[in-house]
Amino acid sequence: MKIPRIRSDFLPLAAASFLVLAYNASFWRTFTAATGGFRAGNLPLYLGACLLLVLVFSGVLALVNYRRLFKPVLIVLLLLSSVTAHFMSQYGLVVDASMVQNVVETDVREAGELFNWKLVQAVVLFGLLPSWLVWRLPVQYGPLPRSILANGGVFAMSLLLAVGLLFLLFKTLAPAVREHRELRFMLTPTNVFQAANGYLKRKWATPTVVAPLGTDAAKGRLWSAAGSMQRTVTIIVVGETARAMNFSLNGYERNTNPELAQERSLVNFSNVASCGTATAISVPCVFSDLTRKGYADDKARSREGLLDVLRHAGFEVVWRDNNSGCKGVCDRVRFEDMSQPVPGSPDCNEEECYDARLLEGLPEMIRNAGQDLVVVLHQKGSHGPAYWKRYPAGFGKFGPVCRTNELEQCSREAITAAYDNSILYTDHFLGKTIALLKEAGIPASMFYFSDHGESLGEKSMYLHGAPYMFSPEEQRKVPMMLWMSDSFSQRFHIDRNCLAARSGQPFSHDNVFHSTLGMLNVSTAVRNPKLDLFQPCIRDA
Ligand SMILES: [Zn+2]
């Protein structure tokens, strides 16, 4: 029997559809659950997501759509996918770097226990059979230049359509994918490559050696000049997902800063850019001496940062966390995890703790400190998409609020109202922190800045994490403010009016490292006076 030859141009799309549909039962099950359970009304979403994946897969497959290349590649994919899909559905496994490690480093006897007839069936039915069909399939390839042109066209068109579709579905997809990170370990066969890549990276990674930084750091002249021998305390508050434009201190129409507005000693910096648009970049970046342009993940991890320099200068440093850890910047200082619910704490419910939990026991810590103290408080802040979970009932001033992770079910107004309430709670939290420092009665300061901003539907974007170059201002402009007790600014000769006069100038996370050292009169060669925003405002007495 003679089967008509199939034109090669159709192969990527056909293969992509088969991969997306035949091997991804676990993925689609989780995806449906992540988007609020199966509903007929969600049908356009399922179809859209499916089409999106088919387009991306077929775009990539088009790159290998050449005679004597496409079939072997596809057959490898089919075989890999059949095994992967079997283990995912049989054992509920997800495919990540540790999984690959298990497979590679397991012994024959252990592997034998995983071998059963179901696996054989799966490999025969979903691996060998389709592979054999693919092998036998008569395909008609045109001349090479034509193929190159056609494949390039398929690649470009597929990705273009995929981007358009992503734009349409972003509001629904972004929260689902963010809240269910396991999804990317379930999508077959990309999970296999991602996991293998992660495994190899881990295997070949050289152990990080942390280079010391600012070991020359010492308390400067002003520490000994003034007669005062009183200890000092500085609190650095690292905010989460707070964007500058929703602070009434920065001109927002809603009064989200009723408490901070009362603080006459507060300096609010109104034009501050973040280093990244995600916690994993901004937090290590803001505590490193590298600027945004010089920042790289591995570079920051292999050198000490601000907290180490402060330690070298003789400060006691503590990191208190109500977030997901300090991303390596507090590795060599005391760490207190305050994010786990504690029965009996007024600031926690069964699931999580509000940020006020970070202040529990802090007055005692300040009183009992043996040295000058620097405490970092890492907030949960306005972490989304569940903004309404970030504040206690008393702070639901704006409304009605969105009470679901599925942002597409809420209006922009309801999403923004919940977000604004979380800012209102941060205002209260910062007010409470200042009150606590006043109570302490020693020279004290509080330096607050957020890690990045958030999109709340502007330009159809939500959440954060956009590539910096293309990121909207909403994700990049962060609040930053400074409070100092009178005794603190006097001791370190800081002219608050001078700072206030400079507060509208453009600053960024690049300034934090050098300014903290400047504020605390730490002398070290690693402080760059040009990036120290206190430098022009220190009055030599
Ligand atoms: Zn963040």
Side-chain angles (χ1 to χ4, degrees), residues 239-242 277-280 282-283 323 378 383 450-453 464:
E240 175 61 67
T241 317
T277 63
T279 312
S282 276
V283 169
N323 201 304
H378 192 195
H383 192 273
S450 176
D451 61 345
H452 51 76
H464 55 265

Side-chain angles (χ1 to χ4, degrees), residues 140-220:
Q140 184 187 357
Y141 279 96
L144 190 63
R146 199 201 144 269
S147 286
I148 292 175
L149 212 65
N151 292 339
V154 172
F155 173 77
M157 269 314 277
S158 303
L159 292 198
L160 204 69
L161 285 171
V163 168
L165 205 53
L166 185 65
F167 198 68
L168 283 175
L169 298 174
F170 191 79
K171 194 177 178 182
T172 317
L173 289 184
V177 173
R178 192 170 288 253
E179 293 285 288
H180 296 267
R181 288 183 186 274
E182 71 273 21
L183 278 171
R184 64 196 180 97
F185 301 118
M186 297 182 137
L187 183 64
T188 310
T190 50
N191 53 1
V192 179
F193 295 101
Q194 190 179 288
N197 180 35
Y199 167 72
L200 291 176
K201 255 194 192 157
R202 204 194 278 175
K203 198 173 159 69
W204 290 332
T206 40
T208 312
V209 183
V210 180
L213 185 77
T215 44
D216 64 333
K219 286 174 180 162

